Amino acid sequence: MQKQKKIIVIGATSFSGSNLINLALHKKYHVTGVSRSKEPNNIFLPYKWENNNKLCNADKYKYIYRTINLNNDINKLIELIDEVRPEFIINFAAQGMVAESWLNPTDWYQTNVVSQVAFHDLLRKRKFLEKYVHITTPEVYGSTNSWIKENNNFSPSTPYAVSRASCDLHLLSFFKAYDFPVVFTRAANVYGAGQQLYRIIPRTILSALTKKKMYLHGGGESIRSFIHINDVANATLKIAEKADPGTTWHISTKETISIRELVYKIFRKLNVDPSGIVIENNERLGKDQSYLLDSSSLRENMAWEEKISLNEGISETINWVENNIEIMKELPWEYIHKR
């Protein structure tokens, strides 16, 4: 019988982290989740939906959760890693909001660079680690005018993007110097049921259902390529299992849409007039016009393709919001900064 492999997911309560955990449990991995926060309401944790919860306690594949802050508890995290001895570590942990990175840039550099470098310098000495998957961002490239490949030059335009680019370059230096088994993933505009309520798709659905005003920065002219979280989780796990260290992988669809078109598409699906609800205002500082990631390498080398269309994904997310709207009315809809 093949040995059951172990994964540690850092940033386990994030939208992408919790979905990766759900997939890994279904594939019978032993999963340990780490996050700075206590687990949020179950509506944001897909591994606790319906019958999924029993996966966390099954004898052959289980889920263990630990509250550890990367900024304060690196030694505690390393102790856990030494105890578990995972084959794979998948790191989603980062300060991730673009606009707010201008307000508290020191926090972004502390979490996304300084603490990560300290962590990696300890982690590189753990020879049992087969693969370290670093979840990064297309924002390291800045705005793209065409579909770009993984070797595109970095041109970050915000403190958030600069911090992520800095960490990526640091990890590449560790790969070259120490053969540290890092691989990078960049996914553009991930969405789906369970996403944080301040993100554009759930926030638009909530505004349409409650008639609460929402703001469309810069008139929603920026172009994006949205991809469903299930497709991203499948790609990420394939990359963890199969990718060579030192490689970078784009996870993206080939479909593009402006933020304005996306918002009005959702209002049409819900048969709600956006007049008086959607308010246009000024663009945010440093906002990139588009992120267009060429994912042909992933398609050709990993036999991956997206399964869920934007129409299907939006409908699924609408169902999730409608089924949980009474809970959501009591939760904050805006981003709340944590150090």
Side-chain angles (χ1 to χ4, degrees), residues 230-258:
N230 288 0
D231 291 325
V232 176
N234 273 289
T236 304
L237 201 54
K238 277 179 177 284
I239 290 164
E241 293 168 341
K242 299 179 180 181
D244 291 332
T247 56
T248 300
W249 302 86
H250 286 170
I251 308 171
S252 178
T253 68
K254 301 176 182 179
E255 182 180 2
T256 62
I257 189 171
S258 72

Side-chain angles (χ1 to χ4, degrees), residues 16-67:
S16 295
S18 61
N19 276 273
L20 190 281
I21 287 167
N22 187 49
L23 176 64
L25 288 170
H26 277 87
K27 288 183 175 291
K28 298 181 172 56
Y29 281 88
H30 179 290
V31 184
T32 300
V34 174
S35 180
R36 64 182 175 180
S37 305
K38 294 181 179 179
E39 289 179 301
N41 191 293
N42 285 357
I43 67 172
F44 299 107
L45 299 173
Y47 55 83
K48 291 193 173 181
W49 294 350
E50 298 176 358
N51 294 323
N52 292 353
N53 190 41
K54 65 185 179 184
L55 293 171
C56 301
N57 300 305
D59 290 337
K60 293 185 179 179
Y61 46 106
K62 60 182 179 177
Y63 178 58
I64 298 170
Y65 180 73
R66 296 287 185 269
T67 304

Side-chain angles (χ1 to χ4, degrees), residues 79-322:
E79 288 173 5
L80 176 65
I81 290 168
D82 285 341
E83 176 188 338
V84 175
R85 296 179 67 87
E87 284 83 4
F88 304 144
I89 293 177
I90 303 178
N91 188 0
F92 295 91
Q95 294 281 11
M97 291 297 289
V98 176
E100 286 75 5
S101 72
W102 292 103
L103 304 176
N104 298 283
T106 303
D107 290 347
W108 267 252
Y109 292 120
Q110 177 62 48
T111 300
N112 296 352
V113 184
V114 176
S115 293
Q116 298 276 2
V117 170
F119 170 54
H120 298 146
D121 198 37
L122 294 171
L123 187 62
R124 68 178 174 83
K125 301 168 187 176
R126 273 61 195 174
K127 301 305 180 184
F128 53 78
L129 185 65
E130 293 180 11
K131 208 74 59 67
Y132 173 78
V133 182
H134 192 70
I135 310 300
T136 178
T137 173
E139 301 209 26
V140 298
Y141 302 124
S143 188
T144 63
N145 296 319
S146 59
W147 295 94
I148 61 169
K149 293 186 177 293
E150 288 84 351
N151 61 355
N152 199 74
N153 290 334
F154 288 0
S155 184
S157 58
T158 66
Y160 165 69
V162 171
S163 72
R164 302 308 305 275
S166 299
C167 190
D168 290 3
L169 292 171
H170 137 73
L171 279 166
L172 277 175
S173 75
F174 270 30
F175 165 69
K176 293 174 183 177
Y178 304 121
D179 292 323
F180 184 61
V182 60
V183 296
F184 302 91
T185 71
R186 299 192 177 104
N189 298 94
V190 184
Y191 76 97
Q195 193 170 28
Q196 303 96 327
L197 302 184
Y198 54 81
R199 296 295 187 182
I200 186 64
I201 289 179
R203 182 66 176 82
T204 300
I205 296 167
L206 283 167
S207 290
L209 292 174
T210 64
K211 310 301 190 292
K212 184 176 179 179
K213 289 182 173 59
M214 64 172 290
Y215 294 94
L216 200 56
H217 297 288
E221 296 299 323
S222 56
I223 302 297
R224 296 292 183 264
S225 179
F226 286 85
I227 183 167
H228 193 274
I229 184 59
N230 288 0
D231 291 325
V232 176
N234 273 289
T236 304
L237 201 54
K238 277 179 177 284
I239 290 164
E241 293 168 341
K242 299 179 180 181
D244 291 332
T247 56
T248 300
W249 302 86
H250 286 170
I251 308 171
S252 178
T253 68
K254 301 176 182 179
E255 182 180 2
T256 62
I257 189 171
S258 72
I259 299 298
R260 171 193 281 271
E261 290 174 308
L262 174 74
V263 167
Y264 284 91
K265 182 185 190 74
I266 292 169
F267 271 82
R268 287 194 300 271
K269 274 184 168 288
L270 290 166
N271 197 28
V272 176
D273 184 354
S275 302
I277 301 175
V278 179
I279 310 298
E280 296 187 9
N281 63 359
N282 294 331
E283 189 58 275
R284 292 178 296 186
L285 182 63
K287 179 72 173 291
D288 293 323
Q289 173 60 24
S290 62
Y291 303 121
L292 304 175
L293 303 181
D294 183 331
S295 57
S296 57
S297 180
L298 179 67
R299 297 169 189 276
E300 293 166 7
N301 293 288
M302 299 283 181
W304 174 90
E305 62 179 0
E306 68 272 30
K307 303 292 186 184
I308 302 173
S309 70
L310 185 59
N311 272 327
E312 292 170 323
I314 289 174
S315 295
E316 176 209 69
T317 310
I318 287 172
N319 289 337
W320 171 70
V321 173
E322 289 178 330

